[in-house]
Amino acid sequence: MQIVVQKYGGTSVANLECMERVREKVLAALGKGQKIIVVLSAMSGETNRLLDMARAWNESPDAAEMDVLLNTGEQTSVALFTMLLHKHGIKARSFLGHQIPIRTDRDFGKARILDINRECFLKYLESYDVFVVAGFQGADCEYRLTTLGRGGSDTTAVAIASAIEADMCEIYTDVEGVFTTDPNICPDAQKISKISYDEMLEMASMGAKVLQIRSVEFAKKYHVPIMVKSTFSENSGTLVTQEDEEMESAMVSGVAYDKDQALVTLVDVYDEPGVAARIFGPLSGANIVVDMIVQNPSREGRTDMTFTVPRGNLEETVQILNGLQEEIGAKEIIQDRQVAKVSVIGVGMRNHAGVASIAFSALKNENINILIISTSEIKISCLIESKYSELAVRTLHEAFGLNHASQTTDAK
Ligand code: ADP
Ligand code: ASP
Ligand code: MG
């Protein structure tokens, strides 16, 4: 018996009409004799609505209570959708994360999955044709509710697919697959028919929110094939899988952007052994992901240290740095929220020279100033003023010829 995991995002279950579309997809899969595990997100906008309500009293509400609140978003969609399946005579049951359970650590708001009880699925597979699982949620060892970070339903789906060795994990969303860049800001973006885990990981890490980063990490580690498709069309999607030779031939396969960045500069810190560790140790201890780091050349035993953090972590970062200011000798802590990161990604970069210079010239031609550059084997990222991010994406996309269909892409 084939088991398929299908995840539907917020826009796919935005209202009862959209849920009917999802029901049709599920029915079609059942018609092929498959058992289906449907993972649902909260209805579009609901998680934000809950966050806004919670923040009305306090900018930083208690993280554990926040997760209790956010769990209700996915709870609503699974209950409603299961009722819809019942109306059509389908044997279905909803499951919340803690009922399975999906066990996580206690990092409220961005918990990591530790374990999924596959026995739960095995026990009920006889009785139900469709399991409707609430995405994004889990519980810690004391059954306190947790959530997996924004976009976490993708990770729920891939983790379940891995736990039960499903034949495929399908991620249904509001675009037809993974594109060479966000099709909502670049109409020329091309759908990629097949992309490697590593490239997808870089795209997701660099801001392409079509898949949550952790879902791709999971898929890569446990070899789960992911198919990204649209809920609203029948067209083929994008397969995220192991790298093959064909993929290596493309120099650049995508452009991503991330506006959720903030820049911090520590002015005139001591330039001596251990200073970087004293700065970044406490930030990492607070689970703050520091991304681009630049240390300027030393002047009379002092240096400037500049780095980026997710915008949502800026207050906490500055609070931690204020506590260290004397110890590291920082004369000033400068913050800038108006920055964005644009990145070009491609496994082919390993074998092609000149990618950086094409990117830099393209940005120069549009008079876009680069604040920080960082590179990896398969990616080049530039930090720029956020007001230029859409222009920079379109410029880089064109500079690398991504607006023309190639071997690994098919037209939108
Ligand atoms: P869902 O609610 O289904 O999880 P998301 O909003 O999380 O959907 O992700 C889908 C969105 O990701 C698209 O609407 C698109 O704007 C954005 N996106 C960013 N980069 C890409 C890309 N390279 N390919 C496809 N979509 C992208
Ligand atoms: N509802 C959560 C969010 O909006 C999780 C998800 O949609 O994947 O981030
Ligand atoms: Mg998403």
Side-chain angles (χ1 to χ4, degrees), residues 336-357:
D336 183 355
R337 287 171 176 274
Q338 311 305 321
V339 291
K341 185 172 61 178
V342 286
S343 309
V344 291
I345 295 127
V347 285
M349 271 186 218
R350 293 194 199 110
N351 313 319
H352 291 91
V355 177
S357 73

Side-chain angles (χ1 to χ4, degrees), residues 190-246:
Q190 302 288 316
K191 189 165 68 190
I192 302 172
S193 52
K194 202 155 74 163
I195 186 167
S196 71
Y197 290 124
D198 284 332
E199 275 176 318
M200 193 61 238
L201 206 50
E202 287 285 13
M203 294 264 272
S205 313
M206 295 304 116
K209 66 168 183 162
V210 60
L211 286 176
Q212 198 201 34
I213 306 168
R214 284 182 186 169
S215 71
V216 189
E217 284 170 353
F218 230 102
K220 182 182 172 195
K221 188 162 173 196
Y222 299 104
H223 306 286
V224 181
I226 303 179
M227 181 60 88
V228 183
K229 287 170 136 178
S230 167
T231 304
F232 307 99
S233 89
E234 295 306 318
N235 294 344
S236 62
T238 300
L239 180 66
V240 186
T241 182
Q242 275 6 324
E243 186 175 333
D244 64 29
E245 278 167 20
E246 188 188 324

Side-chain angles (χ1 to χ4, degrees), residues 1 3 37 95 97 99-103 113-126 131 133 159-167:
M1 177 189 36
I3 306 179
I37 298 178
F95 288 89
Q99 292 176 316
I100 292 176
I102 295 178
R103 219 164 52 77
I113 295 178
L114 300 175
D115 176 55
I116 293 184
N117 175 27
R118 71 192 294 267
E119 299 307 318
C120 169
F121 294 95
L122 302 180
K123 179 171 162 197
Y124 292 107
L125 267 176
E126 283 289 305
F131 284 45
V133 179
I160 291 176
S162 152
I164 59 166
E165 290 161 27
D167 295 276

Side-chain angles (χ1 to χ4, degrees), residues 304-317:
D304 292 345
M305 190 83 83
T306 302
F307 56 90
T308 58
V309 291
R311 210 174 277 181
N313 293 135
L314 183 61
E315 272 81 27
E316 197 183 350
T317 301

Side-chain angles (χ1 to χ4, degrees), residues 7 151 154 209:
K7 177 256 169 177
D154 298 331
K209 66 168 183 162

